[in-house]
């Protein structure tokens, strides 16, 4: 269904990154319907069925006893008899009970921004001309003056990687402001009316890290990176708190429907500013969220220094590990470069057909500053690094800033970490820094990296799960939703098979993960990376967070993992989502 969007979920909070949606207050009121203390060792709940634990000491069980939101017993029914009494409720889910899956990097807020924008993905628009035709069609069906909005446009998959420019969009939509977002979320494309609506003209100065594309001094409508993109989307009508609430619940239910019980929101503050945490707590107070949310606070707010951004979070009561068992603030997000498929990832060697390999969003000095602020505040660092030069850039800074030994157990992460060298993986192990891979880079863009963007040698280094495990790291896999769909088992399948959607070839078989490595990357490793050691497996003392699946991934062929469906998830032993 095609939709032009002058309706429903309306971006965004103001003309600047992190500006507050006026209706979102930042008063944090944690809810308390998480785990309740059990007064006895008696099970409140006995779960009976085919239980797959992901715990090597007892891989399967036929019964699981739950009290106070935790697992107090696992084994045969007879084993657990002593834990039950007449008050114990027994359930027998129809399916395989597996640990709730962990999505360690996705985006609620930027996805809310374009939840109802028209889908312009490669699947919908197989050619560039089809993309242009779709904008023309949307504009024809939208009243003059109202916004036409598209998302998931992906020029990296079209021959010549042609992008939508201001002039092309003006031609097909002369009477409407148009904004189209790149699938990577690192670019938007705007026509003259959209630029004018945002008050942006040729005199605009690039904000730190952001870029307004120009040809001979005239804006060409191509806008790169969050700080510049948010100046543009700030022109859109503001969402109400109800719009945001409805959208958040939709996104969380989508995640739960893929077996997810915990997730990491990877750029908190980018839509409604520091009030986003308070809004999540408020929603959770009204009705428990469908998925536990861990947040990574965005380190950039327009016009503020990193120290001022950290102070703004602290003033709003958002400090490391603050919150509760459903909504917790855990990390400090820093983005060092752009998108590899958008040719804005930062590489040591040029992109094919170009003379440069992109550039960093920071200078070495400003990167050290923004990382230091996060470290000094006690945050886990979550550093977006796509190209090999970006990984080098981040590691060099971390080697200067992190203590050689000891220090708090913060589990700093490199996000995407897409083109790491052997040396990078070794240095990460020495620093205790782990990677989270956007694994579907291989599936969707692997062939494009190999054939048109980077060449085969570099493409082979994409998302090295096997090498990361061999280096002693604990990699996780993520969707970067809505860059790709939330589906941890699809990501795990790609990690094992490394097949590309484009031509079904295998991108570097040497980097194929074992099934066990791939499943650890969406359960225990991902849980560890979001500081949730009590999740990712079912064992005594752990959270009673599980999903009811149509098949057991641990004993089934990875080929079929993406087709496994879910009928229910539970958090602390109570239903969180049902199909
Ligand atoms: Zn991301």
């Amino acid at each position: 269904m095609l939709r032009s969007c002058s309706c429903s979920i309306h971006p965004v909070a103001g003309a600047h990154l992190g500006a507050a949606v006026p209706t979102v207050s930042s008063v944090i009121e944690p809810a308390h319907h998480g785990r309740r203390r059990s007064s006895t060792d008696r099970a409140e709940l006995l779960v009976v069925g085919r239980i797959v634990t992901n715990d090597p000491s007892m891989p399967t069980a036929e019964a699981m006893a739950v009290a106070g939101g935790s697992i107090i017993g696992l084994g045969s029914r007879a084993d657990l008899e002593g834990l039950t009494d007449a008050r114990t409720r027994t359930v027998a889910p129809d399916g395989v009970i597996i640990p709730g899956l962990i999505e360690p990097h996705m985006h609620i807020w930027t996805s809310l921004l374009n939840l109802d924008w028209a889908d312009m993905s490669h699947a919908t628009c197989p050619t560039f001309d089809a993309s242009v035709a779709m904008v023309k069609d949307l504009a024809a069906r939208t009243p003059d003056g109202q916004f036409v909005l598209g998302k998931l446009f992906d020029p990296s998959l079209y021959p010549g990687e042609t992008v939508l420019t201001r002039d092309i969009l003006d031609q097909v939509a002369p009477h409407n402001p148009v904004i189209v977002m790149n699938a990577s979320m690192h670019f938007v494309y705007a026509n003259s009316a959209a630029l004018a609506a945002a008050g942006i003209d040729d005199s605009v100065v690039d904000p730190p890290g952001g870029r307004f594309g120009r040809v001979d001094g005239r804006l060409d409508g191509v806008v790169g990176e969050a700080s510049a993109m948010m100046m543009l989307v700030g022109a859109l009508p503001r969402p109400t708190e109800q719009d945001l609430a409805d959208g958040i619940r939709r996104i969380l239910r989508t995640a739960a429907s893929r077996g997810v019980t915990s997730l990491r929101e990877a750029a908190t503050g980018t839509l409604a500013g520091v009030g986003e945490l308070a809004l999540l707590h408020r929603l959770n107070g009204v009705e428990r969220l469908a998925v536990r949310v861990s947040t990574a606070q965005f380190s950039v707010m327009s016009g503020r220094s990193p120290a001022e951004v950290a102070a703004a979070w602290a003033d709003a009561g958002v400090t490391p590990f603050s919150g509760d068992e459903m909504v917790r603030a855990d990390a400090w997000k820093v983005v060092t470069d752009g998108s590899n498929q958008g040719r804005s990832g930062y590489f040591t060697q040029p992109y094919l057909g170009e003379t440069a390999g992109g550039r960093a969003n920071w200078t070495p000095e400003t990167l050290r500053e923004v990382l230091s602020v996060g470290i000094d505040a006690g945050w886990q660092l979550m550093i977006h690094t796509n190209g090999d030069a970006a990984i080098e850039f981040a590691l060099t800074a971390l080697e200067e800033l992190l203590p050689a030994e000891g220090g708090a157990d913060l589990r700093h992460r490199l996000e995407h970490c897409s083109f790491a060298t052997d040396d990078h993986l070794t240095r990460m192990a020495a620093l205790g820094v782990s990677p989270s891979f956007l694994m579907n880079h291989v599936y969707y863009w692997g062939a494009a990296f190999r054939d048109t963007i980077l060449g085969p040698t570099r493409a082979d280094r994409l998302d090295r799960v096997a090498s990361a495990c061999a280096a002693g790291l604990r990699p996780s896999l993520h969707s970067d939703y809505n860059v790709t769909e939330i589906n941890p088992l699809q990501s795990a399948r790609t990690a094992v098979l490394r097949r590309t959607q484009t031509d079904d070839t295998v991108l570097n078989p040497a980097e194929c993960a074992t099934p066990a490595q791939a499943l650890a990357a969406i359960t225990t490793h991902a849980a560890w990376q979001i500081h949730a050691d009590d999740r990712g497996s079912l064992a005594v003392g752990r959270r009673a967070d599980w999903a009811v699946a149509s098949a057991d991934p641990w004993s089934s062929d990875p080929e079929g993992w993406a087709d496994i469906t879910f009928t229910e998830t539970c958090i602390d032993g109570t239903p969180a989502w049902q199909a």
Side-chain angles (χ1 to χ4, degrees), residues 105 107 266 333 384 416 480:
H105 177 148
H107 295 275
K333 177 70 179 294
H384 164 118
H416 315 324
D480 209 18

Side-chain angles (χ1 to χ4, degrees), residues 355-366:
T355 55
R359 60 173 172 157
N361 289 353
W362 307 84
T363 65
E365 295 71 33
T366 58

Side-chain angles (χ1 to χ4, degrees), residues 5-267:
C5 297
S6 52
C7 53
S8 64
I9 299 291
H10 277 304
V12 73
H16 300 291
L17 186 68
V21 171
T23 51
V24 175
S25 95
S26 58
V27 179
I28 291 179
E29 299 163 68
H32 293 287
H33 45 200
R35 169 151 65 174
R36 285 160 289 116
R37 276 269 144 252
S38 177
S39 57
T40 71
D41 287 337
R42 295 281 159 174
E44 294 153 9
L45 180 71
L46 187 70
V47 184
V48 177
R50 188 171 162 211
I51 300 166
V52 176
T53 67
N54 191 29
D55 175 16
S57 70
M58 186 190 291
T60 61
E62 66 173 28
M64 175 166 64
V66 177
S70 289
I71 298 166
I72 62 166
L74 270 162
S76 68
R77 282 195 80 157
D79 290 340
L80 303 190
E81 234 158 46
L83 294 173
T84 63
D85 63 16
R87 290 162 298 173
T88 303
R89 200 162 54 84
T90 300
V91 293
D94 185 17
V96 184
I97 298 145
I98 68 169
L101 304 178
I102 315 288
E103 163 60 83
H105 177 148
M106 55 80 73
H107 295 275
I108 292 174
W109 304 100
T110 47
S111 304
L112 280 174
L113 174 71
N114 62 21
L115 204 54
D116 286 321
W117 294 17
D119 176 0
M120 294 178 61
S121 64
H122 187 258
T124 312
C125 301
T127 64
F128 176 75
D129 289 349
S131 305
V132 176
M134 177 179 267
V135 174
K136 186 174 183 179
D137 180 58
L138 291 168
R141 295 191 282 118
T142 304
D144 286 2
Q146 290 192 10
F147 275 92
V148 169
L149 302 166
K151 66 178 174 184
L152 299 172
F153 169 67
D154 197 351
S156 68
L157 299 178
Y158 301 137
E161 299 166 50
T162 318
V163 300
L164 293 166
T165 60
R166 170 186 186 170
D167 290 340
I168 293 170
L169 295 172
D170 280 350
Q171 216 169 12
V172 294
H175 308 299
N176 301 84
V178 180
I179 297 176
V180 174
M181 192 169 280
N182 185 290
S184 71
M185 313 267 285
H186 284 265
F187 297 93
V188 290
Y189 310 93
N191 69 351
S192 297
L195 291 166
I200 295 167
D201 61 27
D202 292 345
S203 68
V204 70
V205 177
D206 286 354
R211 271 148 251 164
F212 286 96
R214 289 177 167 84
V215 175
D216 299 330
R218 176 179 179 265
L219 293 177
D220 66 3
V222 180
V223 181
E225 295 302 308
S227 56
M229 287 158 59
M230 293 314 246
M231 289 171 66
L232 182 72
V233 297
L236 291 161
R238 294 178 180 204
T240 65
E241 182 162 335
Q242 190 59 49
D243 290 334
L244 297 176
D246 293 347
I248 290 166
R249 293 203 187 279
R250 264 171 75 186
I251 291 170
L252 296 184
R253 282 197 299 268
T254 301
S257 74
R258 302 298 191 164
V260 173
T261 52
S262 294
L263 62 79
R264 165 69 58 82
E265 205 297 319

